[in-house]
Amino acid sequence: MREWLRGGQAAPSTSAAPGMATELALDAVAKLSELLERHPLAILDVNRLPLPKAEMKTALKLLWQIARNEQRRNQIEVAYIHLSNFQDGVGDVPLEPIVPPNSPPEKVAAILDPYMLFAAQVQAETHVLSEELRQFERSVRG
């Protein structure tokens, strides 16, 4: 992810990321990207994020502002929305909704019940993050 963000960056705006260095943002978002690639459907503990969630938002906004094209911005937007997959109290093991074929009902329940406990939180936060992102984009684009 770092490489696709590097080419010909404009100077970052301080409105989105006061005090955050571009290198820190690049590193954090690259680590986030790796997590999302390894666990695309999972709900993970917020402690798995490379930075606190508020700082991850700042990093993503900074990189959105310096992205050179819409494809890069779209990738950053997807990552921003996927911050909802990181929730307090999940624990060390990611919750993945993957059930092996022909699993007995008790195994299905053992896999899906913990996931479903957090699914409503994820969905609600997805809506909040989408609205935050829309407001941010409007403020930047004027």
Side-chain angles (χ1 to χ4, degrees), residues 52-62 80 83 129 132:
K53 196 179 279 192
E55 290 180 37
M56 286 303 308
K57 290 178 184 182
T58 301
L60 288 160
K61 288 175 182 177
L62 169 64
Y80 192 92
L83 289 175
L129 290 172
E132 281 179 15

Side-chain angles (χ1 to χ4, degrees), residues 113-125:
D113 285 352
Y115 185 88
M116 296 307 294
L117 288 173
F118 289 94
Q121 287 174 252
V122 170
Q123 185 177 19
E125 188 174 352

Side-chain angles (χ1 to χ4, degrees), residues 7 12 23-24 33 42 44 62 67 74 77 95 104 107 111 119 121 138-139:
E23 279 302 313
L24 175 63
S33 178
L44 300 101
L62 169 64
N74 289 338
E77 291 165 8
L95 302 175
K107 181 164 183 151
I111 292 170
Q121 287 174 252
R138 279 193 295 260
S139 73

Side-chain angles (χ1 to χ4, degrees), residues 17-141:
M20 180 168 286
T22 303
E23 279 302 313
L24 175 63
L26 284 166
D27 185 57
V29 172
K31 289 175 181 173
L32 173 63
S33 178
E34 290 169 11
L35 274 172
L36 293 173
E37 287 174 16
R38 274 198 314 266
H39 305 285
L41 301 174
I43 300 172
L44 300 101
D45 197 277
V46 71
N47 292 326
R48 302 276 308 260
L49 286 170
L51 296 172
K53 196 179 279 192
E55 290 180 37
M56 286 303 308
K57 290 178 184 182
T58 301
L60 288 160
K61 288 175 182 177
L62 169 64
L63 297 182
W64 186 91
Q65 285 186 315
I66 63 175
R68 290 185 36 179
N69 59 50
E70 285 305 306
Q71 179 184 1
R72 291 178 182 162
R73 283 186 170 171
N74 289 338
Q75 291 170 325
I76 293 165
E77 291 165 8
V78 168
Y80 192 92
I81 301 303
H82 276 85
L83 289 175
S84 64
N85 287 33
F86 295 85
Q87 295 293 318
D88 284 318
V90 171
D92 293 336
V93 179
L95 302 175
E96 310 230 24
I98 300 168
V99 179
N102 304 316
S103 294
E106 49 283 344
K107 181 164 183 151
V108 172
I111 292 170
L112 295 182
D113 285 352
Y115 185 88
M116 296 307 294
L117 288 173
F118 289 94
Q121 287 174 252
V122 170
Q123 185 177 19
E125 188 174 352
T126 297
H127 293 298
V128 170
L129 290 172
S130 294
E131 184 55 34
E132 281 179 15
L133 193 55
R134 276 194 291 276
Q135 288 177 6
F136 167 73
E137 289 174 5
R138 279 193 295 260
S139 73
V140 171
R141 290 184 175 168

